[in-house]
Amino acid sequence: MEATTSTSPAGPRDLSRVWLGASIVGLLAGGLLALGSDQERAAEVAWALTTLVGILPIARDVIGGLIRGEPGVDLIALIAMVAALALGEYLAGAV
């Protein structure tokens, strides 16, 4: 997957670490909620949000690739993550 960038006055900025950090926080929060306090529903919400955060940059890259006529393997990952949400497999989608 190509790095997602943001343009700022200082130039383009690599956001892949931001996405990775958000994913790690979401996974940990969900795990702590599930294990520490028997808040399974709250854990599922944390994992679902983590999946959504992961879907955003992948969807942008996949759409760009499809427009250019260059579908890549990220399309498979996007389909898997959307399917995980649709089937209620939130942890699988977050991972």
Side-chain angles (χ1 to χ4, degrees):
M1 181 171 76
E2 64 186 57
T4 303
T5 58
S6 172
T7 303
S8 68
R13 184 175 62 158
D14 183 9
L15 296 177
S16 58
R17 288 185 180 173
V18 174
W19 294 116
L20 177 62
S23 295
I24 290 170
V25 168
L27 286 169
L28 288 175
L32 291 174
L33 287 168
L35 295 174
S37 61
D38 284 335
Q39 297 289 328
E40 289 182 29
R41 184 68 186 144
E44 290 176 349
V45 169
W47 290 326
L49 290 173
T50 301
T51 304
L52 288 172
V53 166
I55 284 174
L56 294 175
I58 293 173
R60 185 187 71 84
D61 291 343
V62 166
I63 291 169
L66 291 173
I67 290 170
R68 291 186 307 274
E70 302 170 353
V73 295
D74 286 344
L75 177 60
I76 297 168
L78 180 62
I79 292 169
M81 292 171 78
V82 171
L85 285 178
L87 297 173
E89 297 294 334
Y90 306 114
L91 178 57
V95 173

